[in-house]
Amino acid sequence: DAMVIQNPRYQVTQFGKPVTLSCSQTLNHNVMYWYQQKSSQAPKLLFHYYDKDFNNEADTPDNFQSRRPNTSFCFLDIRSPGLGDAAMYLCATSRLGQGVLRTEAFFGQGTRLTVV
Amino acid sequence: GEDVEQSLFLSVREGDSSVINCTYTDSSSTYLYWYKQEPGAGLQLLTYIFSNMDMKQDQRLTVLLNKKDKHLSLRIADTQTGDSAIYFCAGNAGNNRKLIWGLGTSLAVNP
């Protein structure tokens, strides 16, 4: 089945130790998003890739970076995780472009990050 | 700026109907979506409605859109315990690339 897969489901990292979260998709969608979701809150968009074009949200801290080596994969790098970065990180994809009318996002199951 | 508001909690009895409400400010949203999130999981698209429609029915789900009042609702008929989750309303921002999210409504279904 075509889907969005995030690995790992649970990640524990040490305070200040770089960590990378992974996302892959078989939907062949041209847009990939990273969201941060804290408990009882709505997902907060960190950034997205439109094809190879990186789009950062104005309030995303510099501590968060992303890479998209190809259409299928996207990575979220947290350079120096702090306690406040503990959250669920959600990857999503969309298909945008000429002739595409709906832009709903398809989500992975998320990676729960714990910082110790 | 764009804003989407939802009531935070709803409790219903199993078998009753649930109605979850949402208001939005961005009248340029062409599609409005309902997502469901179960504990510890990602978000699952439940249904959507195009902005020139006023109602859409999909099995137990009915979406009503009042564009004049910028009000969207999701009705779940015959609510089951498996419907317990957080429901998010979202609309696409003007450039279509991003979704603007409500805070989510936590639905509790009591046996």
Side-chain angles (χ1 to χ4, degrees):
Chain A
D1 285 343
M3 54 199 315
V4 181
I5 301 166
Q6 290 188 244
N7 283 306
R9 290 291 310 276
Y10 302 92
Q11 175 75 57
V12 180
T13 191
Q14 289 180 331
F15 182 95
K17 184 176 179 182
V19 64
T20 295
L21 308 183
S22 301
C23 178
S24 64
Q25 55 129 341
T26 59
L27 295 160
N28 203 32
H29 283 172
N30 57 345
V31 186
M32 294 187 78
Y33 307 83
W34 279 105
Y35 286 88
Q36 179 193 65
Q37 187 181 28
K38 296 191 176 180
S39 184
S40 304
Q41 294 184 18
K44 178 180 181 298
L45 183 63
L46 295 173
F47 24 60
H48 73 277
Y49 272 95
Y50 188 121
D51 294 321
K52 295 181 181 179
D53 180 28
F54 178 70
N55 298 270
N56 202 26
E57 292 300 299
D59 57 354
T60 298
D62 292 340
N63 199 23
F64 291 87
Q65 305 284 321
S66 186
R67 295 170 284 135
R68 188 179 186 187
N70 55 52
T71 302
S72 302
F73 287 87
C74 197
F75 301 99
L76 169 62
D77 300 308
I78 308 176
R79 291 193 298 191
S80 182
L83 298 179
D85 296 327
M88 173 78 92
Y89 289 88
L90 296 164
C91 173
T93 71
S94 279
R95 186 167 66 92
L96 294 180
Q98 198 170 14
V100 178
L101 298 179
R102 289 205 320 273
T103 59
E104 66 260 28
F106 293 83
F107 284 81
Q109 287 296 299
T111 295
R112 169 76 63 188
L113 179 69
T114 301
V115 182
V116 297
Chain B
E2 305 97 340
D3 195 19
V4 177
E5 293 186 359
Q6 297 180 239
S7 51
L8 294 182
F9 301 101
L10 178 64
S11 179
V12 300
R13 286 194 308 185
E14 191 174 11
D16 288 351
S17 292
S18 309
V19 180
I20 302 171
N21 294 301
C22 171
T23 57
Y24 60 97
T25 57
D26 187 352
S27 57
S28 69
S29 292
T30 50
Y31 281 91
L32 293 146
Y33 305 90
W34 284 103
Y35 281 83
K36 176 184 180 183
Q37 187 176 33
E38 296 181 6
L43 284 87
Q44 173 195 355
L45 177 66
L46 280 181
T47 188
Y48 62 89
I49 189 165
F50 186 47
S51 58
N52 72 350
M53 298 170 64
D54 51 21
M55 187 181 91
K56 179 180 179 182
Q57 186 151 4
D58 185 358
Q59 300 181 339
R60 291 190 299 122
L61 305 178
T62 303
V63 180
L64 295 177
L65 175 61
N66 181 327
K67 201 171 179 183
K68 173 175 166 289
D69 294 339
K70 297 194 183 82
H71 181 265
L72 180 74
S73 67
L74 174 69
R75 178 177 180 270
I76 306 173
D78 187 25
T79 312
Q80 302 298 305
T81 54
D83 296 323
S84 294
I86 300 177
Y87 291 80
F88 290 95
C89 162
N92 60 290
N95 68 4
N96 261 0
R97 291 192 194 182
K98 305 179 195 180
L99 291 173
I100 308 299
W101 296 86
L103 290 180
T105 299
S106 180
L107 174 64
V109 181
N110 307 304

